[in-house]
Amino acid sequence: SSVQDEAVGKSTFKECNQIAFYRRQKLLHPGKSWYRALLDSVMLSDENVKFQIIHEENKVLRFFSGRYLRYDAKYQPKDVLTSQYLFDNLILRKENRLFISQKEAGILVMSSVNEDYKLQVTANPFQIELQSKGETVLSMNSNGLLYFEHLQAPPSDRKPTAENEDAASDSSKEEQENLGLWQEKFGSFLDIKAHGPSSVGMDISLHGFDHVYGIPQHTEALLLKNTSDGDAYRLYNLDIFGHKIHDKIGIYGSVPLLLAHKPNRTSGIFWLNSSETLVDISTKAVAEHMPSGSAAESAKQRAVPLTDVRWMSESGIIDVFLLMGPTAFDIFKQFAQLTGTQALPPLFSLGYHQCRWNYEDEQDVKAVDAGFDEHDIPYDVIWLDIEHTDGKRYFTWDKKKFQNPRKMQEHLRKKKRKLVVIVDPHIKVDPTYTLYSQAKDKGYFVKDRNGQDFEGICWPGSSCYLDFTNPEVRRWYGDQFAFKTYKGSTNILFVWNDMNEPSVFKGAELTMQKDAVHYNNWEHREVHNLYGFYQQMATAEGLIRRSSGKERPFVLTRSFFAGSQKYGAVWTGDNTAEWGYLKISIPMLLTISMAGISFCGADVGGFIGDPEPELLVRWYQAGAYQPFFRGHSNMKSKRREPWLFGEKNTQIIREAIRERYVLLPYLYTLFYRAHTAAEPVMRPLWIEFPGKTETFGVENEYMLGNALLVHPVTEREAKAASVLLPGSEEIWYDFRKLKRMEDLGTLKIPVTLENIPVFQRGGTVIPLKTRAGKSTEWMIDISYELHVALDKEACAIGELYLDDGHSFQYLHKKQFLYRKFSFYKNVLSSSCTDESGQYHTTCVVERVIVLGFGQQPTFVTACSKDGKEKEVVFTYDTKTSALTLENLALSVDADWEICI
């Protein structure tokens, strides 16, 4: 849900040039840095390197530590980092330990123990260069844009001297106002800066790179573009209803992680700062001298790309992590060591979710639920938006519309389905509302600059905002989800945190004043991008506690930051029912996925407006192959349950949703990989094909895991799709027709409305269910089918992860099953990937389809570990070269072999 005006006008939000700290930092142009390193101050220990740097003009000293420039009075978003990281600093790892390998006038070189990495510090001007195996990968401050404003007393507190009396002249006041040092105006809003200017910035150059990605969330292309003055990428969480396509303004979430890629290396920069941040990007070709063959031969030059990234934040410290890769998968692991991996979702949450603002009452919920059964369409969760509450008081129910919420949930439970309700961070100002009165008495609301509870307008009218940055508030808030406290809730109720940027309807840029005050007297400007992160953290922890630590939570949040993956799912917010939004959702989701948050999706059909039936069908087909799959629509939109668009469209949507349910074993396994190895579920092609430059900018198709290539149809009345099947050594198969694709490269694939192009990569094994059920819980005992797609060597490999789908037993009691399937020399074998797994299932592998099998076999046998052998029934399709093995009844949790 969002502000119900038609797409909010641009004047509501700032352009970059209306942001004072951006204007101030842009006065510093590339050139010689003002900073000099004091190399005699270097202290090197096993875990760190420290030295001082000094500003040549104002003589202010700064401390440069292993990873950040610090000023102790400034805010650090420590909760973003994992506790493991805080106690097991990456720099401590043996292979990364540094020793001084060279020290001469003005230069200090430190090498890693295995000599893979070298860190060269130049004293004057201060600059750091990071080399890997003799090649410069990154350099810091090479454009001299290191910027650090120190806290100071306001002008009125300073003792008058002849100097600063002159400084108070009119022109100076005007200049101060323009620079926004002590206060900043935007429209009718005034932001008072109690501590004065506190902005930080730095430039980091990426050598040899001209493809950069990341820094969500923007309604933008996959490849980051060069920015021009006044058009930086903005990271500032805002509620922008009907956001424009191709715009660098920040929307609901921010992850300050940037990835750079070239054929032989991927690098990353994680700028850990939760205040408003702007990122400038500039890629250019620079001349590089090539070593000449002999002294007589003049040195040759070649043009190589260089990308300069300038980070500018309103406040905080410079805390930057350079992620060295060298592969994209290494980067994902390194980022996960810092911020955590994706929480393993409960299985139901990977099913289809049906949402609307709003399902009217208990009868409406029952009717929609019955509609899915009547039309034989699987679904797992029905959602209730803000109208289900008593006057927008969260944790309550409208007494007329939802008279017996427990009974309604029991009805859903019998159908093996779940309920999600919305719980927003704003609390209605109403002394008779227990949540409000308790929070007020305890001092749990964010304060305004005068020390009163901050009040803003949101859905309930006048509202106060809980201060989730305070651990005591988070604990108290989490306790509100206890069954005895949250009346009418049961253990099939899960939570949606919306409006948590936070959204303030009549606030500056529709959010909270930056000079509002949080826990420990930190201003809102310091923590803004963390507000939603903290609400989701409190909610997820509350749901875990209500089950005494036994059950996995499900929490969807609109606002997010680095590390939000630890607490649940995110979605792309209030999109519009237009083709362009379906198209842009692909790069948006890929960017969020690369930033560590695998559990992401876009509102199927578009939240705002009414999709034409063809668009709705195409969106279901795309959503079925994306991590979070929810249909959602606005109060003003016409009803759009999947069966309201005529029998033909109902049939196609039913088929798309069923395909999703059949695919769940593969998808759940991918989420286990995301959870344990930080591999994104949905990934751009270049991550799987890092050496193939033709994949680097592809954003109209993607890989789901390493085995499936998905190409959603995003054009109206499309008769064909231009699909790139990458890799000269690869074999690709049509996922539905089971037929090998004759050609590689960019192909024109005919399409009908019935489905979208999906291909299985040769060399992979995909586990599927043999059919879909009414919901995930109905499918527990349905047998499995393996699709074995052979590569050029006639080999294939794949995995299946299985557990109870809802508890933490997989973690605490090793109640999981992790199997490996491999096809080699005409033998398909099932073996155990992780021997510690204790989970047992009665499920069997019923069918195996081998794609690209060269000739009809004479006979096939299956043998289990105990030596029992049986002949296998098979059919061979000479047209497709697909070999189907039937009636196998091979146990999923046992070792076995099929010999062909």
Side-chain angles (χ1 to χ4, degrees):
S1 322
S2 194
V3 187
Q4 271 308 100
D5 301 315
E6 283 322 304
V8 177
K10 218 162 168 151
S11 60
T12 310
F13 302 102
K14 292 179 183 177
E15 302 278 349
C16 290
N17 288 327
Q18 292 172 290
I19 299 166
F21 78 86
Y22 175 79
R23 293 198 302 272
R24 294 198 301 275
Q25 290 219 24
K26 293 295 268 190
L27 294 174
L28 178 63
H29 297 292
K32 184 173 186 266
S33 177
W34 282 98
Y35 285 95
R36 170 167 61 94
L38 305 177
L39 295 185
D40 291 340
S41 68
V42 167
M43 289 181 290
L44 188 64
S45 63
D46 269 357
E47 64 270 6
N48 216 333
V49 54
K50 293 178 182 174
F51 52 85
Q52 289 177 316
I53 60 173
I54 189 166
H55 191 284
E56 292 284 29
E57 191 182 59
N58 62 27
K59 302 301 178 194
V60 173
L61 277 171
R62 300 250 172 262
F63 218 26
F64 185 92
S65 172
R67 65 164 212 268
Y68 49 61
L69 266 169
R70 62 179 303 158
Y71 191 81
D72 284 329
K74 285 188 158 193
Y75 182 76
Q76 292 173 258
K78 286 181 180 162
D79 289 320
V80 169
L81 299 175
T82 61
S83 52
Q84 179 200 345
Y85 171 75
L86 293 170
F87 293 115
D88 180 20
N89 194 310
L90 288 186
I91 298 164
L92 274 171
R93 297 184 184 282
K94 281 201 180 77
E95 66 274 17
N96 290 337
R97 281 191 188 157
L98 299 172
F99 66 93
I100 293 174
S101 55
Q102 190 186 339
K103 192 173 180 184
E104 52 190 70
I107 285 184
L108 173 73
V109 179
M110 287 164 284
S111 301
S112 61
V113 173
N114 58 10
E115 303 219 348
D116 272 0
Y117 294 107
K118 280 199 167 100
L119 195 70
Q120 181 172 305
V121 182
T122 307
N124 194 11
F126 169 57
Q127 189 180 324
I128 293 177
E129 199 173 285
L130 197 48
Q131 298 174 351
S132 170
K133 298 187 167 78
E135 172 195 3
T136 301
V137 180
L138 292 149
S139 56
M140 299 163 79
N141 202 34
S142 43
N143 291 316
L145 297 172
L146 175 58
Y147 189 95
F148 208 96
E149 294 174 334
H150 57 283
L151 304 180
Q152 50 191 292
S156 57
D157 293 358
R158 295 183 192 160
K159 294 189 173 70
T161 63
E163 271 173 58
N164 65 22
E165 268 171 22
D166 291 348
S169 68
D170 288 345
S171 63
S172 168
K173 270 188 186 145
E174 222 171 277
E175 189 188 329
Q176 277 210 6
E177 219 158 274
N178 181 45
L179 293 176
L181 300 174
W182 297 96
Q183 56 182 52
E184 186 173 349
K185 282 187 184 142
F186 177 62
S188 59
F189 300 101
L190 182 65
D191 172 19
I192 304 284
K193 303 180 183 184
H195 307 292
S198 55
S199 177
V200 296
M202 183 184 259
D203 65 276
I204 299 175
S205 300
L206 294 148
H207 296 257
F209 294 95
D210 55 359
H211 294 88
V212 286
Y213 308 87
I215 56 170
Q217 189 186 20
H218 304 93
T219 315
E220 258 299 2
L222 181 69
L223 274 171
L224 299 179
K225 299 168 177 170
N226 277 358
T227 57
S228 51
D229 275 351
D231 187 33
Y233 282 93
R234 191 175 179 203
L235 293 170
Y236 189 62
N237 297 351
L238 290 171
D239 176 4
I240 306 186
F241 181 79
H243 41 266
K244 267 178 53 188
I245 293 178
H246 294 300
D247 198 335
K248 297 188 188 74
I249 192 166
I251 46 176
Y252 310 96
S254 301
V255 184
L257 171 71
L258 180 139
L259 276 69
H261 180 68
K262 56 186 177 181
N264 62 342
R265 176 179 285 276
T266 310
S267 298
I269 304 166
F270 175 35
W271 176 268
L272 178 51
N273 190 304
S274 53
S275 71
E276 179 176 4
T277 297
L278 293 160
V279 186
D280 264 341
I281 294 168
S282 165
T283 300
K284 53 185 184 283
V286 292
E288 186 187 75
H289 291 281
M290 308 264 290
S292 54
S294 67
E297 211 179 298
S298 63
K300 291 177 184 160
Q301 283 192 341
R302 62 170 181 177
V304 291
L306 176 77
T307 297
D308 292 322
V309 182
R310 183 179 188 177
W311 301 83
M312 296 164 273
S313 290
E314 184 178 13
S315 200
I317 62 172
I318 294 177
D319 190 357
V320 61
F321 296 84
L322 306 177
L323 308 178
M324 295 301 287
T327 71
F329 290 106
D330 293 326
I331 297 280
F332 301 140
K333 284 190 178 68
Q334 289 154 6
F335 186 61
Q337 283 173 325
L338 297 172
T339 65
T341 61
Q342 176 65 57
L344 183 63
L347 180 61
F348 80 80
S349 65
L350 298 185
Y352 173 63
H353 300 253
Q354 182 66 37
C355 187
R356 168 172 186 82
W357 179 22
N358 211 95
Y359 286 119
E360 292 298 320
D361 50 29
E362 288 171 4
Q363 286 63 44
D364 198 4
V365 168
K366 280 184 181 174
V368 172
D369 175 74
F372 278 91
D373 290 338
E374 201 180 307
H375 295 91
D376 208 12
I377 299 172
Y379 98 105
D380 263 79
V381 195
I382 192 158
W383 291 49
L384 294 176
D385 210 316
I386 54 177
E387 310 303 325
H388 83 278
T389 60
D390 175 11
K392 319 295 187 294
R393 295 168 182 86
Y394 304 105
F395 300 96
T396 70
W397 305 85
D398 183 303
K399 292 177 184 65
K400 285 201 180 79
K401 297 174 180 174
F402 294 90
Q403 293 178 9
N404 198 336
R406 289 184 72 89
K407 192 176 170 191
M408 175 182 72
Q409 287 166 75
E410 286 312 315
H411 176 79
L412 290 169
R413 182 199 305 281
K414 281 182 188 141
K415 300 284 209 74
K416 301 191 196 307
R417 292 186 176 126
K418 312 284 187 261
L419 177 72
V420 166
V421 297
I422 199 165
V423 183
D424 290 351
H426 50 261
I427 306 295
K428 183 178 175 68
V429 173
D430 171 8
T432 67
Y433 174 26
T434 316
L435 205 68
Y436 172 79
S437 58
Q438 276 189 26
K440 188 165 182 65
D441 291 348
K442 292 173 184 286
Y444 283 171
F445 291 123
V446 178
K447 304 283 184 266
D448 64 20
R449 62 173 172 252
N450 303 315
Q452 303 302 304
D453 287 343
F454 174 90
E455 275 193 33
I457 306 293
C458 210
W459 295 126
S462 194
S463 304
C464 287
Y465 291 74
L466 288 166
D467 183 4
F468 295 108
T469 67
N470 181 343
E472 195 184 311
V473 175
R474 291 199 297 275
R475 178 90 199 181
W476 170 85
Y477 187 74
D479 288 344
Q480 305 309 308
F481 292 97
F483 299 123
K484 65 178 188 300
T485 311
Y486 188 173
K487 304 293 183 220
S489 71
T490 76
N491 65 0
I492 68 153
L493 177 146
F494 296 89
V495 182
W496 170 20
N497 293 150
D498 195 11
M499 312 298 286
N500 51 355
E501 293 71 30
S503 183
V504 180
F505 287 169
K506 292 183 179 172
E509 298 197 276
L510 304 182
T511 192
M512 190 176 278
Q513 284 277 122
K514 284 180 170 178
D515 55 15
V517 180
H518 288 261
Y519 174 62
N520 273 344
N521 276 332
W522 292 114
E523 284 187 301
H524 184 68
R525 79 183 77 253
E526 306 277 359
V527 302
H528 175 83
N529 286 344
L530 277 177
Y531 189 82
F533 166 94
Y534 274 130
Q535 188 199 9
Q536 190 189 22
M537 175 200 276
T539 304
E541 289 174 351
L543 291 183
I544 293 169
R545 282 205 304 280
R546 82 174 180 184
S547 72
S548 307
K550 292 189 177 80
E551 298 294 315
R552 288 177 236 166
F554 169 75
V555 186
L556 177 76
T557 181
R558 189 170 74 180
S559 177
F560 56 87
F561 192 68
S564 288
Q565 64 271 12
K566 296 190 289 281
Y567 306 112
V570 310
W571 93 106
T572 60
D574 296 342
N575 57 1
T576 301
E578 291 168 12
W579 288 92
Y581 285 84
L582 167 58
K583 197 172 196 166
I584 201 76
S585 69
I586 301 167
M588 287 178 78
L589 294 174
L590 289 171
T591 301
I592 292 168
S593 299
M594 283 190 283
I597 305 173
S598 264
F599 204 2
C600 59
D603 284 344
V604 168
F607 176 67
I608 302 160
D610 297 303
E612 59 198 81
E614 186 192 357
L615 172 59
L616 186 65
V617 163
R618 290 304 194 198
W619 217 316
Y620 269 105
Q621 291 169 336
Y625 285 89
Q626 288 165 357
F628 177 59
F629 185 26
R630 178 182 77 151
H632 186 31
S633 54
N634 185 315
M635 192 179 246
K636 292 182 180 176
S637 304
K638 293 173 189 152
R639 295 288 287 240
R640 60 166 100 132
E641 286 72 46
W643 51 86
L644 296 178
F645 298 86
E647 184 43 48
K648 187 189 175 208
N649 291 316
T650 302
Q651 172 56 34
I652 298 171
I653 293 171
R654 178 191 296 120
E655 195 44 48
I657 295 176
R658 280 182 179 172
E659 278 190 12
R660 162 63 163 231
Y661 275 76
V662 164
L663 192 65
L664 283 171
Y666 177 63
L667 202 53
Y668 196 53
T669 304
L670 292 182
F671 267 98
Y672 183 69
R673 295 293 305 169
H675 179 53
T676 53
E679 295 169 5
V681 170
M682 180 177 174
R683 39 189 100 146
L685 262 57
W686 69 263
I687 285 171
E688 285 295 325
F689 303 95
K692 307 288 180 194
T693 49
E694 66 273 20
T695 66
F696 292 4
V698 173
E699 62 175 22
N700 60 352
E701 59 187 52
Y702 54 90
M703 297 295 294
L704 198 57
N706 72 336
L708 281 182
L709 186 150
V710 182
H711 186 105
V713 175
T714 59
E715 305 291 335
R716 182 189 273 122
E717 295 176 4
K719 297 285 181 282
S722 179
V723 177
L724 171 66
L725 294 179
S728 50
E729 295 305 302
E730 300 289 333
I731 295 178
W732 293 94
Y733 300 87
D734 184 307
F735 188 51
R736 295 186 197 86
K737 294 177 183 160
L738 311 176
K739 189 171 169 38
R740 177 177 171 171
M741 303 302 293
E742 296 302 323
D743 301 305
L744 294 173
T746 303
L747 311 177
K748 204 172 178 185
I749 306 283
V751 294
T752 63
L753 190 60
E754 269 60 38
N755 51 43
I756 59 171
V758 180
F759 303 92
Q760 184 173 353
R761 184 181 184 179
T764 63
V765 178
I766 293 181
L768 305 162
K769 286 281 186 177
T770 49
R771 60 187 168 82
K774 290 172 188 290
S775 74
T776 51
E777 221 180 297
W778 286 106
M779 292 176 64
I780 290 167
D781 297 322
I782 291 176
S783 58
Y784 289 89
E785 173 174 315
L786 302 178
H787 282 205
V788 180
L790 302 184
D791 63 12
K792 283 196 166 166
E793 274 72 51
C795 296
I797 196 160
E799 294 178 337
L800 171 66
Y801 173 79
L802 195 59
D803 60 21
D804 67 18
H806 61 86
S807 78
F808 284 110
Q809 294 270 35
Y810 77 93
L811 202 56
H812 307 316
K813 298 274 172 68
K814 298 291 181 188
Q815 288 294 309
F816 67 85
L817 194 60
Y818 196 15
R819 305 293 301 175
K820 177 180 165 185
F821 304 109
S822 59
F823 190 94
Y824 180 65
K825 293 189 172 170
N826 286 0
V827 176
L828 175 65
S829 61
S830 167
S831 58
C832 189
T833 303
D834 186 338
E835 296 287 349
S836 69
Q838 306 289 316
Y839 191 68
H840 288 291
T841 173
T842 54
C843 252
V844 295
V845 173
E846 189 61 26
R847 186 184 302 129
V848 169
I849 303 177
V850 185
L851 314 186
F853 196 76
Q855 63 192 70
Q856 177 156 348
T858 45
F859 66 94
V860 179
T861 57
C863 47
S864 50
K865 256 288 187 272
D866 56 15
K868 282 185 188 160
E869 215 172 280
K870 65 170 184 178
E871 202 168 327
V872 172
V873 180
F874 65 86
T875 52
Y876 183 74
D877 186 328
T878 49
K879 282 191 187 133
T880 61
S881 301
L883 172 66
T884 304
L885 315 177
E886 302 270 13
N887 309 328
L888 293 167
L890 293 165
S891 179
V892 168
D893 57 14
D895 290 1
W896 43 260
E897 285 185 347
I898 298 175
C899 306
I900 304 172

